[in-house]
């Protein structure tokens, strides 16, 4: 009996069939396409040094940038708190985009509502939308806190969140004791990381102020609030588990301020519950009594750090994402410094194991030239990791590192870091540039590897360079965010990802005799 | 077999109980249970195309999404500027999978994000001057670009920038079409107005601007196919095999020239009526081109549509059409024979944009599946008028249903498959309800035509019958097991 075998070619193979190739050629008679010669010339030109010069001289157009807008970050921050519903005040399309974008990265639902402002709100303001929206969303989705941020529409027309929310209370739509935190997040300022910071600061200051407590730094030690830790705009849920593991090894009490890993790593149980995990709202005012706060994305969390050191009068140790051995060493020293606890032996042992792994793999990494793309804190971490294993960062593009930092300047720090190692000598840092600039760099000065988000895949393909997906967003690979990249374990994960990409490339490009069994 | 009308009425009432009074009253108007009367009464329809309630988690997007994301974005040889702040362009970058041939960044600009990245100064002083510079730079960076469109984001309209004047000036200077599109996100109540605005811009700035050297009696346009996962290609091949000549494909894998010569066609064939009806109606008035809606989802509807199209032409085409159907029917029967036994009587809930919630019904029915509830994000009255007769009695028809309503309905109706968008997708994964993302085919496709139906059937089987659903230890079950029941 013959087996029932249907051949079903998918989009990947179907359109390579002769009939479709013919269709495409036939269609050209209506397309008025450029000639093959014109196209070939334009392609070659786009890969030239001359083109690169023009590319870097453009002043106004932005092509394939590596950043999103503020409210996206605000939603992520809001989802870091227990039973908190993100509420986007402005036109509803934005909210749909934020929800889709985040869901595409985490492969998880993103609950968030909008006040659905339209033309009439553009004329009369969005107050009634906000008030109705609060009433409806609280009734339907039963949050314990609503966190309101704005879109550029609400910002341009100048809606006043504080008074609108006050009016909602006056009208009895929300009760006096129902918390509604808020922040302003115009999309024409900063990027997703700025928005994360705005909402984080908004929530911390709001919950603290309404609690009526007076911050007493260090007094929390007796009641258990020893250390606050903030991860920032964190695309890796695995990083939360890793930081917990590290803090628990220290045997310190701690509060993670903003932990969205529950929402973005919830179990499939047959029921959907809208809210999973997150920092308990009651823990926020108590966090003001901690000994100190550790920030793991110092550029992202600028305003929040200032708030904590200024208002809570706490010692704040701010690092960039602690990647690699040195980065993690610094993290452990910071925890030790803030808590007065010694670095646990178990972590030192883990360190040793990861260093052992690095020694095994270093021959395949040494001298590899890489291109890096990411947010400022991720880049500092990645640069550090590269330098300590002998990888040479060459082109470093950061689309959103150009906001005016008062105390710490990203460019200066990254520059100093690169200058501190001979492996950094070839690196050039491009702040405020985009991935079309990166394309020119990759084509005119080739590298061995590219490290960055899925958005980098187009430039990487044009330059025929393998892409190692790190950062946000990662749309086209699954589960990357579940594996930590920070801490020693994270260093091992990054190492595995990079070295095995190098080995894959060796196999893929072998010339016949070097298809080695052992490596 | 019909569904229980009274039971479904009650079910909807129960679901809407959760709303505050004002919102409940509004939401009730957006539901109707299909009855014999509704099926035959051409005008009765539920409320649609009006504002969403604030705070309800509507699945809808905005005008910009309708214009740039749907209509203009797929036109491959033009550069589309996301004019305004950074976000809109970033979120719509390559996410709808409008396949196009050509070299990205050279003669194809679809999966790119070109933006003016508005900063505070642009809001204060206006972005018009910058827009001029951007356009000049675009011609430097993309010398083969055939034209430029300006897709306005919210602030552009609010601060009163005159993108029309800039476009006019720059069109002259750059000697190419430069099209201003006023698709600011706050306009209208959903994507739908964006489609309309985008179509108007095509009408005003592009249509009829070029000539077709030779016209023929079989010249047709494909209108309203965005080539998601290659849909338009899988459709076009059938039309061409039948002997028709497709002179323009709108807008998936489309080019400026195709838009400019489309008025030379003898017939407009429209797939997504919701997003491009404005265009075919205009072309009928202005150029006397008749149009017909067709449906290439599932073999039954595809046979029906192919025959209806052929009927508008001569015997040669009609014969070709029958031959075409005869050629593909055994393949389609084989697909149905394989998958129908696995999918028969499975209950489906659909909530998609403005067309597919009815257009895809035939494809499900070919596989023996039952649609028990169907709704749209942004459909209009005419869409509902067409929907009621297609559905069984007792089917729940819903407009702009919120996330909350969909979740309740899916659970209470115990459906076997939900077809909706990415914002909904992962919710149903938690619930253990098989789900297909039906906006961009869950990264699969094409679903149109005969090639597409094979993939559709395979995907539905894969989704409904995956063993992974049985691995889910539903809480109730776990508790019972623990209690030793």
């Amino acid at each position: 009996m013959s087996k029932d075998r249907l051949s079903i070619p998918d989009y990947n193979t179907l359109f390579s069939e002769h009939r479709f190739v013919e269709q495409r050629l036939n269609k050209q008679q209506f397309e008025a396409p450029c000639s093959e010669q014109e196209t070939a010339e334009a392609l070659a030109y786009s890969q030239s040094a001359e083109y690169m010069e023009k590319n870097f001289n453009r002043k106004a157009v932005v092509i394939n940038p590596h950043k999103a807008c503020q409210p996206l970050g605000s939603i992520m921050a809001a989802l870091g708190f227990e039973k908190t519903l993100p509420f986007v005040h402005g036109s509803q399309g934005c909210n749909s985009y934020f929800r889709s974008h985040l869901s595409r990265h985490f492969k998880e639902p993103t609950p968030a509502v909008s006040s659905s402002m339209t033309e009439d709100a553009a004329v009369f303001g969005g107050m009634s939308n906000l008030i109705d929206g609060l009433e409806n969303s609280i009734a339907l989705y039963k949050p314990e806190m609503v966190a309101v941020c704005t879109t550029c529409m609400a910002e341009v027309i100048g809606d006043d969140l504080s008074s609108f929310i006050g009016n909602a209370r006056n009208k009895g739509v929300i009760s006096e004791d129902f918390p509604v935190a808020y922040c302003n997040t115009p999309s024409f300022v900063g990027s997703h990381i700025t928005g994360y910071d705005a909402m984080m600061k908004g929530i911390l200051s709001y919950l603290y102020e309404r609690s009526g407590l007076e911050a007493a730094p260090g007094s929390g030690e007796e009641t258990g609030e020893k250390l606050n830790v903030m991860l920032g705009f964190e695309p890796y849920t695995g990083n939360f588990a890793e930081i917990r593991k590290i803090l628990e090894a220290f045997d310190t009490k701690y509060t993670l301020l903003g932990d969205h890993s529950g929402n973005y790593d919830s179990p499939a149980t047959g029921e959907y519950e809208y809210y999973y995990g997150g920092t308990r709202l009651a823990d926020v005012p108590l966090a003001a009594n901690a000994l100190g706060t550790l920030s793991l994305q110092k550029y992202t969390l600028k305003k929040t750090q200032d708030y904590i050191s200024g208002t809570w009068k706490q010692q704040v140790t701010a690092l960039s994402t602690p990647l690699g051995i040195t980065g993690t060493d610094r993290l452990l020293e910071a925890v030790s410094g803030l808590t007065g606890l010694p670095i646990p032996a178990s972590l030192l042992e883990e360190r040793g194991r990861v260093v052992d792994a690095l020694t095994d793999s270093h021959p395949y990494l040494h001298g590899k030239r890489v291109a890096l793309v990411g947010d400022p804190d991720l880049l500092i971490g990645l640069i550090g990791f590269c330098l300590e294993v002998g990888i040479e960062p060459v082109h470093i593009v950061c689309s959103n590192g150009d906001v005016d930092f008062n105390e710490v300047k990203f460019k200066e720090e990254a520059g100093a870091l690169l200058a501190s190692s001979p492996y950094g000598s070839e690196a050039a840092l491009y702040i405020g540039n985009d991935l079309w600039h990166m394309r020119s760099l990759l084509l005119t000065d080739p590298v061995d590897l590219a490290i960055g988000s899925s958005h980098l895949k187009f430039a990487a393909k044009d330059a025929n360079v393998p892409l190692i997906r790190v950062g946000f967003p990662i749309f086209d690979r699954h589960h990357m965010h579940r594996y930590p990249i920070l801490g020693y374990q994270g260093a091992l994960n990054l190492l595995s990802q990079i070295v095995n990409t190098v080995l894959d490339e060796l196999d893929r490009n072998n010339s016949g005799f070097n298809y080695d069994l052992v490596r | 077999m019909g569904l229980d009308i009274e039971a479904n009425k009650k079910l909807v009432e129960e679901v809407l109980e959760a709303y505050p009074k004002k919102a409940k009253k509004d939401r009730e108007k957006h539901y109707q249970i299909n009855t014999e009367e509704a099926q035959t009464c051409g005008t009765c329809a539920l409320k649609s195309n009006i504002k969403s309630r604030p705070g309800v988690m509507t699945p809808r997007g905005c005008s910009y999404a309708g214009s740039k994301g749907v209509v203009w974005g797929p036109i491959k040889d033009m550069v589309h500027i996301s004019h305004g702040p950074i976000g809109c362009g970033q979120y719509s970058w390559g996410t709808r999978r409008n396949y196009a041939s050509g070299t990205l960044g050279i003669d194809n600009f679809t999966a790119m994000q070109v933006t003016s990245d508005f900063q505070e100064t642009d809001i204060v002083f206006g972005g018009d001057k910058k827009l001029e510079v951007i356009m000049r730079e675009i011609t430097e960076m993309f010398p083969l670009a055939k034209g430029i469109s300006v897709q306005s984001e919210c602030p552009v309209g609010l601060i009163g920038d005159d993108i029309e004047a800039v476009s006019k000036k720059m069109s002259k200077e750059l000697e190419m079409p430069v099209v201003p599109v006023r698709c600011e996100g706050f306009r209208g109540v959903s994507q739908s107005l964006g489609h309309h605005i985008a179509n108007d811009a095509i009408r005003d700035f592009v249509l009829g601007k070029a000539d077709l050297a030779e016209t023929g009696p079989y010249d047709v346009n494909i209108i309203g196919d965005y080539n998601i996962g290659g849909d338009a290609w899988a459709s076009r091949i059938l039309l061409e095999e039948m002997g028709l000549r497709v002179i323009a494909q709108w807008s998936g894998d489309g080019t400026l020239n195709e838009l400019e010569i489309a008025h030379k066609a003898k017939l407009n064939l429209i797939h997504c009526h919701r997003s491009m009806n404005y265009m075919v109606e205009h072309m009928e008035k202005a150029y006397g081109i008749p149009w017909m809606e067709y449906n290439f989802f599932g073999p039954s509807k595809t046979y029906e549509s192919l025959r209806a199209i052929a009927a508008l032409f001569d015997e040669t085409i009609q014969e070709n059409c029958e031959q075409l159907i005869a050629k593909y029917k055994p393949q389609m029967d084989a697909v149905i024979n394989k998958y129908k036994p696995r999918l028969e009587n499975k209950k489906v809930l659909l909530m998609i944009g403005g067309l597919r919630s009815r257009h895809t019904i035939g494809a499900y029915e070919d596989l023996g599946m039952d649609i028990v509830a169907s709704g749209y994000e942004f459909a209009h009255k005419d869409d509902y008028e067409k929907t009621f007769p297609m559905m069984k009695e007792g089917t729940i028809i819903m407009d702009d249903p919120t996330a909350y309503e969909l979740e309740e309905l899916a659970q209470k109706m115990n459906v076997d498959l939900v077809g909706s968008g990415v914002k909904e997708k992962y919710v149903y994964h938690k619930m253990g309800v098989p789900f297909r993302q039906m906006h961009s085919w869950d990264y699969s496709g094409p679903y149109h035509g005969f090639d597409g139906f094979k993939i559709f059937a395979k995907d539905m089987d894969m989704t409904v019958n995956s063993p992974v659903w049985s691995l889910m230890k539903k809480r109730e079950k776990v508790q019972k097991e623990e209690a030793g029941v």
Side-chain angles (χ1 to χ4, degrees), chain B residues 223-265:
Chain B
I223 307 273
D225 191 322
Y226 303 102
N227 208 31
I228 289 162
D231 277 339
W233 293 334
S235 297
R236 183 186 185 110
I237 208 153
L238 300 181
L239 299 174
E240 288 182 341
E241 208 175 326
M242 201 158 76
L244 301 178
R245 195 170 84 136
V246 180
I247 65 164
Q249 198 173 299
W250 287 27
S251 56
D253 191 38
T255 55
L256 179 66
N257 195 63
E258 286 168 82
L259 266 64
E260 289 176 337
I261 60 171
H263 64 295
K264 291 288 183 183

Side-chain angles (χ1 to χ4, degrees), chain B residues 16 52 58-59 72 81 101 104 112 146 158 186 189 205 209 221 228 247 261 277 287 327 344 360 374 396 469 473:
Chain B
L16 299 181
S52 303
T58 166
W72 278 97
I81 304 169
S101 64
L104 199 63
M112 297 189 74
K146 296 285 179 61
L158 295 169
F186 62 82
V189 301
F205 290 89
K209 301 276 186 201
N221 297 322
I228 289 162
I247 65 164
I261 60 171
N277 67 82
Y287 303 100
K327 177 180 149 189
E344 210 153 18
T360 56
S374 193
I396 296 176
W469 306 115
K473 289 200 167 183

Side-chain angles (χ1 to χ4, degrees), chain B residues 7-143:
Chain B
N8 279 351
K9 268 188 188 163
K10 208 168 145 239
L11 181 62
V12 171
E13 273 168 34
E14 271 170 35
V15 170
L16 299 181
E17 278 305 316
Y19 284 95
K21 213 170 150 194
K22 195 165 133 196
K24 180 169 176 269
K25 210 174 151 198
D26 176 83
R27 291 302 308 146
E28 281 167 349
K29 296 176 192 157
H30 295 263
Y31 273 88
Q32 200 167 325
I33 311 297
N34 202 17
T35 57
E36 205 184 326
E37 195 198 351
Q39 284 168 334
T40 51
C41 151
T43 53
C44 46
L46 67 185
K47 275 268 182 220
S48 63
N49 198 33
I50 56 174
K51 279 191 277 188
S52 303
R53 295 294 91 209
V56 299
M57 237 183 278
T58 166
R60 285 173 165 180
C62 64
S63 270
Y64 167 89
S67 177
K68 193 267 185 179
V70 176
V71 176
W72 278 97
I75 299 167
K76 66 181 175 181
D77 58 357
M78 293 175 71
V79 172
H80 310 291
I81 304 169
S82 293
H83 190 44
I86 194 76
C88 316
Q90 200 71 357
Y91 307 129
S92 55
W93 176 7
T95 48
R96 217 170 113 97
R97 302 177 62 240
N98 309 104
Y99 287 180
S101 64
T103 309
L104 199 63
I106 304 300
D107 60 352
N108 165 16
F109 310 100
T110 48
M112 297 189 74
Q113 133 79 323
V114 176
T115 175
S116 41
D117 186 11
F118 261 36
Q119 300 298 305
E120 224 160 2
T121 47
D122 300 313
I123 300 291
V124 177
F125 300 110
D128 285 350
K129 282 275 167 266
K130 187 176 179 177
L131 186 57
E132 285 183 20
V133 182
I134 285 172
M135 289 179 184
R136 287 186 198 108
E137 288 177 349
I138 283 173
T139 59
E140 293 257 302
M141 287 293 98
F142 308 117

Side-chain angles (χ1 to χ4, degrees), chain A residues 1-53:
Chain A
M1 217 175 81
S2 74
K3 284 220 168 171
D4 173 25
R5 203 171 280 166
L6 275 178
S7 160
I8 302 183
D10 65 4
Y11 58 96
N12 208 28
T13 51
L14 179 66
F15 300 118
S16 315
E17 288 180 10
H18 176 70
R19 54 196 178 115
F20 282 104
V21 174
E22 208 170 79
Q23 181 193 71
R24 281 200 289 280
L25 289 173
N26 183 48
K27 182 175 181 286
Q28 284 183 1
Q29 63 179 304
F30 309 107
E31 291 183 336
C34 303
S35 69
E36 269 177 47
Q37 193 192 337
E38 275 177 306
T39 314
E41 280 171 11
L43 179 61
Y45 170 59
S46 81
Q47 300 173 339
S48 67
E50 186 194 345
Y51 185 88
M52 180 164 92
E53 203 187 318

Side-chain angles (χ1 to χ4, degrees), chain A residues 10 31 34 78 81 109 154 159 166 198 231 235 242 248 264 271 307 315 322 379 392 408 436 447 454 458 480 518:
Chain A
D10 65 4
E31 291 183 336
C34 303
F81 292 84
D159 274 6
L231 273 72
E242 193 57 25
E248 271 148 34
Y264 282 128
E271 269 172 65
Y307 169 77
Q315 186 184 344
L379 282 176
E392 298 177 13
V408 262
W436 197 252
V447 295
S454 295
F458 301 106
M480 307 297 290
V518 186

Side-chain angles (χ1 to χ4, degrees), chain A residues 32 59 96 120 273-274, chain B residues 51 60 137 146 407 475:
Chain A
K59 298 277 180 282
S96 279
D120 53 348
E273 297 177 2
Y274 285 100
Chain B
K51 279 191 277 188
R60 285 173 165 180
E137 288 177 349
K146 296 285 179 61
E407 288 152 23
R475 202 159 285 168

